[in-house]
Amino acid sequence: MNRRLRARVLAVAGYLPARTVTNDELAERVDTSDAWIRERTGIRERRIAAPGELTSDLAAEAGRRALERAGRHPSDVDLVLVATSTPDNTFPATATAVQRKLGIGQGAAFDLQAVCAGFVYALATADSLIRSGLARCALVIGAETFSRILDWRDRSTCVLFGDGAGALLLAAEEQTGTILDRGVLAARLLADGRHYEELYVDGGPSSTGTVGHLRMNGREVFRHAVGALAGSAREVLEAVGLSPVDLDLFVPHQANLRIIDAVAKRLGLDERQVMVTVDRHANTSAASIPLALDQAVADGRLEPGMLVLLSAIGGGFAWGSVLLRW
Ligand code: UT7
């Protein structure tokens, strides 16, 4: 038999800041309404980090919970990979702040920046490092404090995002080399920099020396998102000879309920196969998929052995899909 090293998921956990901000509360600050936000996005509320609560605080708490659930110790971890576009500081990597907060002093730690596709990129990267033997136990975290880069006077963007973090603990495991294996089975990562200006932050260390604010051409992003998500989802399934009907759960990036519905329709998925948390979390960028996985486990919708597809798109544009067996 063809033995093969796989990156298997040991546990998932999420962390959301305590403060909930409703659409009505936002309507007191900008010219918007609960009805508009719900109808156009499906969002009801989002969490916002407390003053002084950093991306690494959210990330470390999600990571701590994942380790606890897996019954593992920080000394087991030899890779901390944080997908974020809202790092604590320009450098060092937020992943090293997470290491410090969890008491991890060994292995590698770095951040990965692929905006809303960050978690899918990070998971595929951790999978590659595990399969190549460079890591054996990886804490892969998506963590964001987008509230810090929003223009709170711009109603077209400030209503869409929220803060949070989610973590997956993965470990190397020899398996049979078939699609019945548990862990990451296939991945597809894509980007097209011609769309750089459709979704970006108008500041940065090298350009303005400031942090900047998020700017987005929402309609253009929407238009590309549906085709890109459905396309990469199909490609990753076809790569292992499967199709959407085989999926137990589809966990797309949570940006907009209309995008999720349109992608699900293109893939011919049933509502029961699709995970939705955008109503409660809004768009938490790189944190949205691991937070949705955590919710799926809590809801009893995700159990060991299930076939799960993750798909995300964000600024760049960067997008991709990861297929795994839970
Ligand atoms: O994570 C990946 C990145 N993000 C996304 O995937 C987001 C992708 N895009 C979207 O989700 C949608 O395009 C939005 C939710 C951003 C906007 O929805 P839309 O249906 O594309 O609306 P629109 O941009 O075409 O705007 C429709 C109207 C405009 O007014 P006019 O020009 O028709 O008079 C906007 O000014 O809605 C107005 N509008 C608002 N009204 C009330 C925009 N934002 C708001 C608001 N409240 N918050």
Side-chain angles (χ1 to χ4, degrees):
M1 197 183 295
N2 235 354
R3 304 291 294 177
R4 184 169 172 171
L5 212 51
R6 296 277 194 198
R8 183 160 86 78
V9 179
L10 300 182
V12 62
Y15 176 77
L16 290 160
R19 181 158 142 68
T20 298
V21 174
T22 63
N23 293 343
D24 283 333
E25 196 177 333
L26 288 181
E28 290 168 15
R29 290 202 231 170
V30 288
D31 182 16
T32 190
S33 64
D34 177 49
W36 190 93
I37 300 171
R38 276 187 202 232
E39 194 180 302
R40 297 296 177 116
T41 71
I43 297 165
R44 286 191 283 123
E45 59 189 36
R46 74 285 293 141
R47 302 295 186 95
I48 300 293
E53 193 173 29
L54 306 182
T55 294
S56 65
D57 293 322
L58 313 185
E61 192 48 41
R64 182 176 294 122
R65 291 178 183 183
L67 282 165
E68 255 172 40
R69 281 187 191 164
R72 296 292 174 113
H73 191 264
S75 62
D76 297 328
V77 176
D78 62 4
L79 171 65
V80 179
L81 181 42
V82 175
T84 188
S85 302
T86 46
D88 291 6
N89 290 91
T90 303
F91 77 78
T94 298
T96 59
V98 171
Q99 267 195 320
R100 180 156 146 162
K101 285 173 184 173
L102 294 179
I104 299 171
Q106 70 288 329
F110 64 97
D111 291 357
L112 189 152
Q113 190 354 347
V115 207
C116 298
F119 193 77
V120 159
Y121 266 63
L123 192 54
T125 302
D127 173 53
S128 296
L129 293 174
I130 285 175
R131 284 189 292 106
S132 71
L134 267 171
R136 290 202 61 80
C137 185
L139 198 49
V140 183
I141 304 174
E144 305 280 15
T145 47
F146 259 51
S147 61
R148 308 264 156 79
I149 56 164
L150 294 174
D151 176 351
W152 286 99
R153 295 160 309 173
D154 175 12
R155 68 174 184 176
S156 72
T157 53
C158 76
V159 303
L160 303 175
F161 296 89
D163 300 336
L168 246 61
L169 187 68
L170 299 151
E173 197 173 278
E174 279 252 321
Q175 297 193 49
T176 61
T178 73
I179 55 163
L180 296 176
D181 285 353
R182 290 180 64 193
V184 177
L185 299 176
R188 182 107 175 99
L189 301 180
L190 297 144
D192 184 348
R194 286 173 297 179
H195 303 284
Y196 191 95
E197 279 164 9
E198 305 294 0
L199 173 50
Y200 69 105
V201 168
D202 61 5
S206 171
S207 54
T208 58
T210 61
V211 172
H213 291 118
L214 182 147
R215 307 291 173 204
M216 175 166 70
N217 180 353
R219 256 180 240 185
E220 232 5 66
V221 178
F222 195 116
R223 211 167 60 78
H224 274 85
V226 178
L229 291 170
S232 70
R234 273 198 190 285
E235 283 172 27
V236 86
L237 283 164
E238 279 164 12
V240 293
L242 295 173
S243 67
V245 286
D246 299 311
L247 289 174
D248 293 302
L249 198 63
F250 177 53
V251 184
H253 169 51
Q254 306 285 314
N256 185 321
L257 187 58
R258 286 157 57 215
I259 296 177
I260 296 173
D261 286 346
V263 174
K265 197 170 164 201
R266 277 208 194 179
L267 294 174
L269 294 171
D270 189 277
E271 208 175 285
R272 282 166 304 180
Q273 288 170 287
V274 184
M275 191 64 202
V276 174
T277 51
V278 70
D279 53 333
R280 286 157 284 172
H281 303 163
N283 182 348
T284 58
S285 190
S288 92
I289 285 180
L291 276 168
L293 288 168
D294 181 47
Q295 191 61 50
V297 171
D299 293 347
R301 293 182 64 185
L302 182 51
E303 289 175 357
M306 283 187 169
L307 193 65
V308 189
L309 179 63
L310 317 176
S311 300
I313 182 166
F317 297 139
W319 70 98
S321 291
V322 172
L323 181 71
L324 66 151
R325 193 174 295 285
W326 198 251

